[in-house]
Amino acid sequence: MSSILVGAVALFFLGMGLFGLVAPRELIRPFGIQLSVPEARAEVRAVYGGFGVAVGALLAWTALSASGDLRSGVVVTVAVSLVGMAFGRLVARVVERPSAFYPSWFYFWVETVGAVVLVSCA
């Protein structure tokens, strides 16, 4: 069962990453960010795209074949990364006070649930 859950989180990262590589403007649009220069689109492709694909691939490999300490290390590392992103959204809540549920709170919950799922699989 834990491999299926890790695989589900891997699919999320892979989907986000591929979307970031192919359509960086669309990925960022819900946040109100304009990507008007090639350097900005390259940054989104790198951070959301390339990083997302790499983490998704690592989690997929972990779900399919890793075991023991390596599996636990990968899963906990990605979980901590998700906690860091969710924490950043909490800080934004205090400093900026985003009013709408989507996208900020939606992704806060996606990241929090993803972290909990991964920790339960470690």
Side-chain angles (χ1 to χ4, degrees):
M1 178 61 150
S2 69
S3 290
I4 292 170
L5 294 173
V6 172
V9 177
L11 286 175
F12 169 77
F13 272 101
L14 286 168
M16 179 194 67
L18 291 171
F19 190 40
L21 289 172
V22 173
R25 284 185 182 128
E26 295 303 314
L27 181 69
I28 293 298
R29 185 173 312 231
F31 297 95
I33 299 169
Q34 299 296 316
L35 300 178
S36 58
V37 296
E39 293 81 7
R41 291 184 296 278
E43 185 66 12
V44 171
R45 282 188 171 103
V47 175
Y48 288 86
F51 182 77
V53 168
V55 169
L58 180 62
L59 284 173
W61 172 78
T62 299
L64 296 172
S65 63
S67 62
D69 291 341
L70 179 61
R71 178 186 171 95
S72 294
V74 167
V75 168
V76 169
T77 299
V78 176
V80 169
S81 298
L82 288 168
V83 168
M85 288 187 275
F87 176 72
R89 293 185 197 281
L90 287 177
V91 170
R93 173 66 178 148
V94 171
V95 175
E96 304 288 341
R97 301 196 185 273
S99 58
F101 176 76
Y102 184 83
S104 295
W105 284 115
F106 173 80
Y107 285 107
F108 167 81
W109 286 110
V110 167
E111 292 153 0
T112 300
V113 168
V116 169
V117 164
L118 290 176
V119 167
S120 75
C121 296

